[in-house]
Amino acid sequence: MQQVDKTVVFESGHEEYAVPIESVISIEKVPSIQPIPHLPLYMKGVVKVRDELIPVIDFEYVLYNKSLSNLDEARLLVIQTKFLAVGFLVKDAKEIISVPEQSLRQVGLVAYSKTKYFSAVANLDNRLVTIIDPEVLVSSLDGMKEIQEFMMSYTAE
């Protein structure tokens, strides 16, 4: 189970999710997204954040197969993975919380091939927060390897 201390909690669908704070570069209002044809459906396009080109992953689409509709209220979590920075388009970035180790529960869902990125569920006083491993999520998405290779070659120029 992934060691988690502080996390950034965000909303997608009607549920709360979290990523370790060490992975989060910034939380942004959603800038204008430049769509790129023929990308996978979960990929909204690219945005420029602090002079860096960031691919935008629609987290709602990854989880629920439907696009996030209200971008005015949405937030972009800029996440650093091993190979590149990506933006998670989420309904709302809510708070930063400490997650006590004793509240983490391993879920059998990580054994299912399509949800390996769920590393644990934080069983807090009055809520459940699903912890996401951004490295596993990004590496598990179809087509992401090619996008990583392109972004690496683009930034090398």
Side-chain angles (χ1 to χ4, degrees):
M1 184 172 359
Q2 178 184 4
Q3 177 64 34
V4 179
D5 183 23
K6 287 193 180 286
T7 63
V8 175
V9 177
F10 60 92
E11 187 178 348
S12 190
H14 298 291
E15 306 301 322
E16 290 183 321
Y17 299 91
V19 291
I21 198 164
E22 301 83 35
S23 302
V24 179
I25 297 171
S26 65
I27 301 169
E28 311 279 339
K29 285 190 171 190
V30 180
S32 178
I33 299 173
Q34 176 66 44
I36 298 178
H38 309 294
L39 285 177
L41 294 174
Y42 65 82
M43 185 73 63
K44 297 296 272 186
V46 294
V47 296
K48 199 171 196 176
V49 176
R50 296 188 185 109
D51 289 330
E52 188 176 349
L53 209 54
I54 307 287
V56 176
I57 295 171
D58 186 341
F59 204 78
E60 197 121 339
Y61 192 87
V62 170
L63 294 177
Y64 304 109
N65 286 332
K66 65 177 188 156
S67 289
L68 186 62
S69 56
N70 185 0
L71 294 184
D72 294 334
E73 302 289 321
R75 292 290 176 261
L76 188 71
L77 291 181
V78 181
I79 306 289
Q80 182 63 54
T81 67
K82 190 172 174 180
F83 296 108
L84 81 156
V86 296
F88 287 173
L89 187 61
V90 299
K91 188 182 280 184
D92 189 17
K94 299 178 87 168
E95 61 189 316
I96 296 171
I97 62 170
S98 292
V99 179
E101 189 173 345
Q102 65 271 18
S103 74
L104 293 174
R105 302 288 179 262
Q106 183 67 43
V107 287
L109 298 174
V110 296
Y112 180 57
S113 64
K114 292 189 179 198
T115 56
K116 287 184 191 266
Y117 47 84
F118 294 153
S119 61
V121 173
N123 186 2
L124 304 173
D125 293 332
N126 56 354
R127 66 204 251 212
L128 296 174
V129 178
T130 305
I131 310 295
I132 303 290
D133 183 330
E135 293 287 339
V136 176
L137 172 66
V138 170
S139 67
S140 71
L141 294 172
D142 287 336
M144 202 59 203
K145 183 178 180 196
E146 292 87 349
I147 292 167
Q148 285 177 346
E149 289 169 358
F150 171 78
M151 296 301 290
M152 288 172 58
S153 70
Y154 179 82
T155 55
E157 294 175 358

